[in-house]
Amino acid sequence: MPLRAKYGQEDISAFDYDQKSWDSLKSIYKKMGLLMPCCNAKAIPKTSKLGNHYFSHSVKGDCTSVAESQEHLYVKGLVAKTAKKSGWDVKTEWYGIAPSGEQWVADVYCQKGNAQVAIEIQLSRQTKAETLSRQNRYKQSGVRCAWIASKTVFDCNYIHSNKETPFFLISKPVVGEIPTLDSFNVSLVSFVDSLLSGNLSWTEEPWIHSIQYIEDQCWKCKKENKQVFGYFIDWYESRAMTVPNASTVLSEITNIVNNEDLKSLGLNSIGEFGKLKGNAPNFPFCNICLYCGAPQNNYYLMEKLKFNSETKSVEYQSKNQFTGKWLLNENP
Ligand SMILES: [Zn+2]
Ligand SMILES: [Zn+2]
C-alpha cells in the first residue's frame, strides 16, 4: 500500500496531506487520473480504520506488490514526513535498478544534491543474508541505506553495529504512537532528523591491550630488561601458565603488537627459536633481550614467574583493531 501516487509527470504523497486536504483529494481524485507507482493501475486515496492515509489499487490485477501492515505504513509515513522537514526531496516506494540489473524499491528514498539515502522500515522477519544483499544492491547503486527495525522482531545480535550496514532498533510500532530508539534515548522523528542532518556519525576507538611483564635481568648482557609473559583486554586475560603455553601466549602477543612497538614500550621483543634449550619442542616463541638480542627461554621465564609476584603491565593502543559505534551529536 503505497503512500505515493502518480499524477501525470508528478508524484503526490499521502504524508503531505492533513485530514482536511486528504478529504478534499478524495472528492476530486477521479478527475485527476491518479495511478499506482507499482503497476500503473488506477489509484484510490483511502483512510484506514487506524487513520493512515494511503493509496489503493482500484483493481489489483496481476500487480505483484506486497501488502503492508498498518504499522509499516504508519512508520514509513512518519519517516518520510520527517525527512522532508529536514530538507530532503522525499519519495516513498521509489524504484531503482542496480548496475547488476536487480531492481530495488526503497520504502523512503531521500535525495539532496548528489546524496541519495534510502530508509528501509523492517518490521517483519528477514534473513541476515537478505538484508545484506539488499544493502549491497543499494551500495552498488550509490545509495546509502539505513534500516529502521522493530526490536520486537530483531535483537542487537542480528547485525552488530557497523558502518557498512546501519541497522537501528525501534520500540514496538503502534499506529499513532511515535516509536523510540532506546539505545539513543530519542524518538524516531528526532533520530531520522539527526541522521539526515549529519548529526549521526560512526566513531571508532582503538582497542587497548595491557601487556604484562616482570622486571628481570638478561642472563647474557646483565642489563635490566622487561620479560613479557601475558596480556589482557577488558575481562579477557591470557598469561603464560606452562613452558609450551608461554610460547602460545607470546605468539598471540605478536598478533597484537609488533617488535618495534614492544621496544618503544621498553619491553623485550618476541621471536621464534625452534631449537633453543629451555623452549618446548614445536613451541618456539620466547622473549628476546631488547639490548643484546639474546633469546630468554620459556623454562627460565616460568621459573622467574614462580618467584616473582610483582607483575606489571603497560597499555598498548592498537593500530588495527577498533571498536565502533554510532553516536548522536548531542547539540545539533
Ligand atoms: Zn500495483
Ligand atoms: Zn641482553
Side-chain angles (χ1 to χ4, degrees):
M1 292 167 302
L3 297 174
R4 180 167 67 93
K6 296 202 277 186
Y7 175 41
Q9 297 300 310
E10 309 276 303
D11 287 288
I12 61 175
S13 293
F15 61 84
D16 282 337
Y17 289 76
D18 60 14
Q19 195 55 50
K20 204 174 152 201
S21 54
W22 188 249
D23 286 339
S24 75
L25 177 72
K26 280 182 175 177
S27 64
I28 57 165
Y29 79 92
K30 277 184 184 157
K31 283 177 245 157
M32 295 169 72
L34 301 179
L35 300 177
M36 296 294 277
C38 41
C39 60
N40 285 327
K42 280 188 181 157
I44 308 171
K46 287 191 175 169
T47 305
S48 77
K49 268 186 217 163
L50 292 166
N52 282 320
H53 299 161
Y54 65 98
F55 294 97
S56 174
H57 296 83
S58 76
V59 180
K60 182 110 197 257
D62 50 10
C63 175
T64 53
S65 63
V66 265
E68 294 168 37
S69 67
Q70 288 294 318
E71 288 76 21
H72 189 271
L73 208 54
Y74 169 71
V75 176
K76 182 164 70 175
L78 196 61
V79 168
K81 210 170 176 170
T82 307
K84 191 169 177 182
K85 266 194 197 152
S86 305
W88 292 68
D89 285 332
V90 179
K91 308 274 190 192
T92 56
E93 306 91 23
W94 190 251
Y95 289 76
I97 293 177
S100 62
E102 292 170 293
Q103 192 188 52
W104 47 259
V105 191
D107 279 333
V108 181
Y109 173 82
C110 315
Q111 199 176 18
K112 195 197 261 181
N114 289 325
Q116 302 178 78
V117 175
I119 301 179
E120 286 291 346
I121 318 299
Q122 195 63 39
L123 307 183
S124 58
R125 285 225 64 82
Q126 172 166 269
T127 64
K128 188 174 168 180
E130 176 69 9
T131 304
L132 297 179
S133 137
R134 290 176 67 189
Q135 186 73 13
N136 188 46
R137 220 174 292 163
Y138 281 121
K139 189 181 176 182
Q140 301 304 324
S141 311
V143 179
R144 188 88 174 101
C145 173
W147 298 80
I148 302 293
S150 170
K151 75 170 188 187
T152 55
V153 178
F154 300 91
D155 66 25
C156 56
N157 294 318
Y158 174 73
I159 286 180
H160 283 282
S161 200
N162 71 84
K163 192 178 183 180
E164 276 291 295
T165 311
F167 198 89
F168 305 107
L169 299 179
I170 54 169
S171 56
K172 182 180 163 63
V174 175
V175 176
E177 292 177 17
I178 297 174
T180 54
L181 287 93
D182 292 348
S183 51
F184 296 92
N185 201 22
V186 291
S187 75
L188 179 60
V189 168
S190 149
F191 183 78
V192 168
D193 179 58
S194 292
L195 188 152
L196 292 172
S197 309
N199 289 315
L200 177 72
S201 55
W202 179 254
T203 53
E204 290 185 334
E205 286 165 13
W207 286 15
I208 299 189
H209 289 87
S210 294
I211 312 293
Q212 296 172 295
Y213 65 89
I214 44 170
E215 287 181 339
D216 193 27
Q217 197 179 29
C218 174
W219 61 270
K220 193 170 182 195
C221 71
K222 308 293 181 204
K223 285 191 178 157
E224 306 280 321
N225 67 10
K226 292 173 177 172
Q227 309 267 15
V228 177
F229 69 91
Y231 67 94
F232 56 89
I233 181 165
D234 295 328
W235 299 280
Y236 180 77
E237 185 182 16
S238 180
R239 58 189 288 170
M241 305 300 281
T242 63
V243 173
N245 169 255
S247 168
T248 306
V249 172
L250 291 170
S251 154
E252 288 167 16
I253 293 173
T254 64
N255 293 325
I256 296 166
V257 46
N258 62 31
N259 277 339
E260 208 176 303
D261 289 347
L262 279 171
K263 277 188 184 169
S264 65
L265 292 171
L267 303 171
N268 282 339
S269 31
I270 296 169
E272 286 181 74
F273 295 85
K275 295 210 171 84
L276 186 70
K277 192 165 174 261
N279 273 3
N282 303 318
F283 291 91
F285 288 88
C286 67
N287 277 257
I288 301 173
C289 173
L290 81 161
Y291 301 111
C292 70
Q296 322 275 303
N297 75 56
N298 288 328
Y299 174 78
Y300 169 82
L301 175 68
M302 294 313 296
E303 287 300 305
K304 284 284 176 179
L305 272 173
K306 259 187 223 167
F307 301 106
N308 191 337
S309 55
E310 208 188 328
T311 60
K312 297 183 172 176
S313 67
V314 56
E315 284 191 347
Y316 175 70
Q317 184 169 310
S318 177
K319 293 181 175 123
N320 51 33
Q321 287 173 301
F322 296 88
T323 302
K325 60 182 168 202
W326 290 102
L327 279 185
L328 274 184
N329 181 348
E330 300 278 334
N331 307 300

